[in-house]
């Protein structure tokens, strides 16, 4: 009984510590160019959230900023308010969506396309540079599979866009390093997951996940 009480107390303390820390963070859209940033002036700390891609080739080069005001950007993704998660991910803006598929009525991130017959598949390659101050990965979903649904005649069709990343890292970073376009932890040389690297192949991914349901997360509609 005492052990159970101790566990409950510890869980409660951890929960309140987590929520209290999150409450210190505000979240600002387009805080630095195309980046959404979570930050706390009290702790002088910040994390990078969404990267809003405008559809241009120039903005396919993503350089993680080192600071926001007096705050050091130390993490990819984070939490704000009552613990709302904000991942570091690439989000096509309305301008980008109009370039890719202007007649699309719905846009979604999907886990795979094994039951989808796309009208076309296009790979969009991004370069992502990790700054020297990044020490933590809280919420990460860099790249991904995007589905654009549109109507042609009386038929519903889909275009698939695969966002992949070639990653580099500042040599002064104490926690991560990059090799051959992929990001690794220095402490154990393990590959950082939740990044769609340049060697990603949609067909192989679909085969690997053929027994899993397709999960779609809409992010824009017309």
């Amino acid at each position: 009984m005492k052990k159970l009480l101790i566990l409950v107390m510890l869980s409660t303390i951890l929960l309140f510590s987590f929520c209290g820390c999150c409450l210190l963070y505000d979240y600002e859209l387009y805080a630095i160019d195309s980046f959404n940033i979570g930050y706390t002036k009290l702790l002088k700390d910040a994390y990078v959230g969404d990267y809003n891609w405008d559809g241009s080739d120039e903005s396919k080069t993503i350089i993680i900023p080192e600071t926001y005001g007096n705050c050091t950007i130390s993490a990819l993704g984070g939490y704000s308010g009552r613990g709302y998660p904000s991942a570091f991910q690439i989000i096509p803006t309305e301008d980008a969506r109009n370039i890719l598929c202007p007649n699309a009525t719905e846009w979604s991130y999907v886990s795979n396309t094994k039951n989808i017959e796309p009208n076309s598949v296009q790979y969009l390659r991004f370069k992502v540079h990790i700054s020297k101050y990044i020490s933590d990965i809280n919420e990460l979903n860099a790249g991904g599979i995007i589905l654009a649904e549109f109507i042609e005649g009386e038929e519903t069709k889909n275009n698939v866009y695969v966002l992949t990343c070639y990653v580099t890292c500042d040599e002064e970073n104490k926690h991560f390093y990059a090799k051959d376009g992929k990001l690794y932890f220095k402490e154990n040389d393990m590959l950082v997951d939740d990044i769609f690297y340049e060697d990603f192949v949609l067909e192989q991914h679909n085969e690997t996940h053929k027994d899993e349901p397709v999960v779609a997360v809409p992010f824009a509609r017309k």
Side-chain angles (χ1 to χ4, degrees), residues 11 25-26 30-32 42-43 52 72-73 94 98 104 118 122-123 126 130 138 155 165 177 190:
S11 298
Y25 283 80
D26 293 315
Y30 291 89
I32 305 176
L42 180 62
L43 301 178
N52 302 288
T72 299
I73 298 176
E94 183 177 358
N98 286 335
Q122 182 179 350
Y123 283 77
F126 293 79
I130 305 300
N138 298 317
E155 185 179 358
C165 300
Y177 71 93
M190 289 186 63

Side-chain angles (χ1 to χ4, degrees), residues 53 55 92 95-102 107 122 124 159 161 163:
W53 177 54
D95 288 340
R97 298 194 299 271
N98 286 335
I99 291 172
L100 295 174
C101 188
W107 293 83
Q122 182 179 350
L124 303 173
N159 285 346
Y161 302 93
L163 282 57

Side-chain angles (χ1 to χ4, degrees), residues 58-169:
E58 293 80 7
S59 61
K60 285 182 181 177
T61 298
I62 303 171
I63 301 175
I64 304 300
E66 296 183 354
T67 59
Y68 176 56
N70 294 324
C71 302
T72 299
I73 298 176
S74 64
L76 301 179
Y79 311 91
S80 59
R82 296 184 179 275
Y84 181 79
S86 300
F88 170 61
Q89 58 186 343
I90 302 168
I91 300 291
T93 65
E94 183 177 358
D95 288 340
R97 298 194 299 271
N98 286 335
I99 291 172
L100 295 174
C101 188
N103 57 336
T105 56
E106 183 168 340
W107 293 83
S108 304
Y109 276 100
V110 293
S111 55
N112 61 71
T113 61
K114 62 185 180 64
N115 294 324
I116 298 169
E117 294 185 8
N119 184 62
S120 68
V121 177
Q122 182 179 350
Y123 283 77
L124 303 173
R125 305 190 183 279
F126 293 79
K127 294 180 180 179
V128 180
H129 182 72
I130 305 300
S131 74
K132 63 183 177 181
Y133 295 124
I134 295 297
S135 58
D136 293 307
I137 296 177
N138 298 317
E139 291 286 333
L140 177 62
N141 186 24
I145 308 167
I146 292 178
L147 197 70
E149 183 178 294
F150 62 97
I151 306 296
E152 190 171 273
E154 296 182 355
E155 185 179 358
T156 299
K157 294 186 176 182
N158 300 284
N159 285 346
V160 172
Y161 302 93
V162 182
L163 282 57
T164 65
C165 300
Y166 183 92
V167 183
T168 58
C169 185

Side-chain angles (χ1 to χ4, degrees), residues 165-167 178-184 197-199:
C165 300
Y166 183 92
V167 183
K179 181 180 179 181
D180 299 328
K182 296 184 178 182
L183 190 65
Y184 296 85
Y197 294 107
E198 276 205 331
D199 59 356

